[in-house]
Amino acid sequence: MNHKMIKGSIVALITPFHEDGSVNFEKLKELVEFQIANHTDGILVLGTTGESSTMSHEEDDSVVEFVIKQVDHRVPVIVGAGSNNTAVMKKKSLDYEKMGADQLLLISPYYNKTNEQGMIEHFKTVADAVNIPIILYNIPGRTGCSISESAIKVLSQHPNIKGIKEASGNLSYAMNISRYLNDDFVMYSGNDDIITPMLSIGASGVISVLSNILPQETHDLVQAYLEGDPARSLSLQQKYLDVIHALFMEVNPIPVKEALNLMGKNVGGYRLPLTKMSESNREKLSQALKEAGVL
C-alpha cells in the first residue's frame, strides 16, 4: 500500500468505451501503460473525467479492480468514491480500500448540498471508517457548493484527511486554505491552466485532465517547479495554455476524449448526457493540438 501523499502530476484518467458503450478494458490497459511509461506520478480512476457519474456500481468496481491490478504498485492509485449520499460514499470507500486503492478522492455533496456541519460530517464519516488517505474535492462549478475555509480548517486536522483537490479556479480561496497545508495536509491544483500559480502557494502537484494526452509534459511542468526551477515550470504552463483551453471548450471529458481519438488512441465515445463535440470546436481542438506538437 502506498499511503505517502504524491508530489507531482496525477492523471484524472478517462474511461474508454467500445462502440456499444461498454467499458473497453483492453484500451484501459494501454492507457495505464502509456501513463506509466511517461512518468505520471499517480493515477486517479472514477473522477469526473472518468465519466463515473454514468457508470453502474458494477462497472465502477470492475474498473477499479482492473486498474489496481494493472498498475501493480508501480504508482499510487487514487479512486473517486464520492457521492452526494454519505452512506453510499462510505460503502464505496470501504469497498475500494478492500480492493487495494491507495487513496480516495471524495467530493462535496452535489445537488442536495448541505450546511457547514453537514459538510464536515459528510467527510468525517468516511475518514473515521477507512484507513487510507482521503483527498477532499472542491469543485463548486459542478457541485453547486464550496467547502468553506472554516470547514477545511477542521477537516485538515483529521488524521485520515490528507489533502484537497482544489478545482474552484479561485486563487484567493486557494491562498486562504494554503494556511492549513503541512506534511499531513497537501493541496493539488484541480485546474490545468493554473498549475504553476498553485504550486507557488504550496500545492504539491496537480490532478490533471491534460495529463491524459501529455503525461510527460505535465509531469515535467510540476517537477521543474518542485526542483527549484519556477521559470521553466511557468514556460511549460504557458506553452500548453492553448491546448488546455481547448480541452475545456466543451464540458470535460468531451474534448480530451476527442483529443485522444485524434491522436489515434481510439478511446471511443461518451455516455449520454455527454455526446460528441461540435464540428467547429473539434476543428479548433485539432488546430491547438497541432500547434502544440501533439498531432
Side-chain angles (χ1 to χ4, degrees), residues 27-61:
K27 189 56 66 176
L28 187 56
K29 176 181 172 176
E30 273 176 45
L31 294 176
V32 165
E33 292 306 324
F34 172 62
Q35 289 296 321
I36 293 175
N38 287 281
H39 305 103
T40 281
D41 301 286
I43 292 176
L44 166 71
V45 286
L46 306 187
T48 308
T49 312
E51 290 179 80
S52 57
S53 48
T54 49
M55 284 159 58
S56 68
H57 290 320
E58 292 72 28
E59 287 174 320
D60 285 347
D61 290 355

Side-chain angles (χ1 to χ4, degrees), residues 61-223:
D61 290 355
S62 58
V63 164
V64 172
E65 272 181 327
F66 183 88
V67 171
I68 288 171
K69 194 172 170 207
Q70 186 62 36
V71 170
D72 193 23
H73 307 292
R74 288 176 290 170
V75 295
V77 176
I78 304 168
V79 180
S83 173
N84 61 344
N85 173 339
T86 310
V88 169
M89 183 164 88
K90 179 180 166 182
K91 183 186 183 314
K92 288 167 92 169
S93 297
L94 287 164
D95 288 348
Y96 298 148
E97 178 181 27
K98 209 173 283 166
M99 283 179 205
D102 293 300
Q103 299 170 20
L104 300 167
L105 180 72
L106 305 182
I107 199 163
S108 60
Y110 41 88
Y111 185 71
N112 44 2
K113 308 185 184 178
T114 180
N115 57 12
E116 177 95 348
Q117 198 49 42
M119 183 72 80
I120 291 168
E121 296 298 327
H122 176 70
F123 293 115
K124 271 187 66 180
T125 299
V126 178
D128 289 343
V130 300
N131 294 302
I132 55 176
I134 284 167
I135 301 168
L136 309 173
Y137 186 8
N138 187 52
I139 183 161
R142 281 191 185 261
T143 61
C145 65
S146 186
I147 309 172
S148 72
E149 292 160 31
S150 49
I152 299 284
K153 186 179 182 179
V154 173
L155 291 164
S156 66
Q157 290 161 18
H158 192 288
N160 264 0
I161 297 176
K162 296 290 195 183
I164 180 167
K165 176 184 179 184
E166 207 310 274
S168 70
N170 180 343
L171 275 171
S172 179
Y173 168 90
M175 187 68 225
N176 285 336
I177 66 169
S178 73
R179 292 177 290 192
Y180 309 119
L181 303 180
N182 53 50
D183 288 347
D184 291 318
F185 188 74
V186 303
M187 176 164 68
Y188 298 107
S189 175
N191 300 80
D192 284 315
D193 60 343
I194 52 168
I195 304 170
T196 305
M198 289 288 282
L199 290 166
S200 80
I201 60 169
S204 293
V206 63
I207 297 179
S208 169
V209 174
L210 177 68
S211 181
N212 277 283
I213 61 169
L214 289 170
Q216 182 69 56
E217 292 77 358
T218 313
H219 165 86
D220 291 349
L221 190 165
V222 177
Q223 211 47 41

Side-chain angles (χ1 to χ4, degrees), residues 192-193 195-197 199 210 217-218 220-222 224-225 229-242 244 292:
D192 284 315
D193 60 343
I195 304 170
T196 305
L199 290 166
L210 177 68
E217 292 77 358
T218 313
D220 291 349
L221 190 165
V222 177
Y225 196 96
D229 193 348
R232 176 156 187 263
S233 177
L234 180 59
S235 76
L236 286 169
Q237 176 78 81
Q238 290 164 335
K239 178 178 178 181
Y240 295 112
L241 270 182
D242 289 345
I244 292 163

